[in-house]
Amino acid sequence: MRDRGHELTDELLEEMERKIRKEYRQAVKDTQAKLDDYLRRFQVKDEIWRQNVTDGKKTAEEYKKWRMGQIMVGKRWEEMRDTLAQDLHNANAVARSVIEGYRPEVYAINHNFATYEVEMGAKLDTSYTLYNRQAVERIMRENPDLLPPPGRKMKASLAAGKDIAWQEGQIQSVTMQ
């Protein structure tokens, strides 16, 4: 059965999800722009190389080696891959920050409505004091084990930059395919 607490929580979660989607859409847009720029610059250089082969200034083998170097292991590609991975890492950090920002409010709403439901169902006055966002934040600060953040291992992994290495590997893999 739906109650007002669940409805308010769902509204908050939908707002949070919109912010996260917006952040990832921007990351995709920025990443695509950087990739497009890289490919545009590569295309210009590639045309020059092709023309040099056509004009006999370069051999087809030299062109092939140059092209493989540019695509596979060129310094520019490594820099682009690293930049793209960093952009995705930054989007992950912002998304996590958005989630952490909503957590105290979601907890307070659910806790308050759960207590209300217990009081109404049991017809019992517990003289309960309502929690608000600030109260939950204070509780989280003073007793971090009482309401631990989700995914401490994930947070440590993000902080250590392990996701950047993972993103780089994914980008390299997709490009190689």
Side-chain angles (χ1 to χ4, degrees):
M1 182 167 101
R2 304 274 307 156
D3 60 34
R4 186 67 180 138
H6 281 93
E7 290 169 4
L8 289 172
T9 299
D10 287 346
E11 288 172 15
L12 277 174
L13 293 175
E14 287 171 12
E15 181 181 329
M16 177 190 69
E17 289 170 2
R18 278 193 303 275
K19 287 183 180 184
I20 291 171
R21 275 193 300 275
K22 181 181 176 185
E23 184 62 34
Y24 278 107
R25 271 195 304 271
Q26 186 62 45
V28 167
K29 184 179 172 183
D30 293 348
T31 299
Q32 188 65 50
K34 289 174 184 174
L35 182 58
D36 290 346
D37 180 59
Y38 174 79
L39 293 175
R40 193 173 25 258
R41 286 184 284 126
F42 172 78
Q43 185 177 9
V44 168
K45 292 175 186 174
D46 191 56
E47 290 297 325
I48 292 169
W49 267 88
R50 286 183 198 197
Q51 189 59 48
N52 284 338
V53 170
T54 302
D55 294 345
K57 296 177 184 175
K58 301 282 184 181
T59 68
E61 187 61 33
E62 289 173 320
Y63 168 68
K64 183 178 176 182
K65 286 180 182 178
W66 170 84
R67 188 172 169 91
M68 290 299 290
Q70 291 292 305
I71 293 171
M72 302 291 189
V73 294
K75 182 68 175 157
R76 290 186 187 129
W77 167 245
E78 290 175 4
E79 291 171 359
M80 177 58 67
R81 181 201 61 207
D82 294 349
T83 300
L84 296 176
Q86 185 64 49
D87 288 349
L88 294 171
H89 168 75
N90 293 341
N92 288 343
V94 169
R96 182 166 181 80
S97 169
V98 168
I99 291 168
E100 285 299 310
Y102 278 86
R103 198 162 61 100
E105 193 167 352
V106 168
Y107 179 84
I109 288 171
N110 279 287
H111 190 268
N112 292 336
F113 275 94
T115 302
Y116 170 78
E117 290 292 323
V118 167
E119 285 184 348
M120 296 309 291
K123 310 243 186 281
L124 173 67
D125 180 12
T126 63
S127 299
Y128 175 73
T129 302
L130 293 174
Y131 279 9
N132 62 14
R133 176 188 184 87
Q134 291 77 23
V136 174
E137 287 172 342
R138 183 177 49 80
I139 290 169
M140 290 168 64
R141 254 190 329 272
E142 293 174 0
N143 302 302
D145 292 333
L146 187 61
L147 190 60
R152 285 183 178 174
K153 184 176 180 181
M154 172 72 76
K155 190 174 183 178
S157 177
L158 287 173
K162 291 179 183 174
D163 73 317
I164 294 175
W166 183 84
Q167 298 286 1
E168 288 173 354
Q170 294 300 308
I171 293 166
Q172 187 75 24
S173 173
V174 168
T175 304
M176 297 298 275
Q177 291 176 11

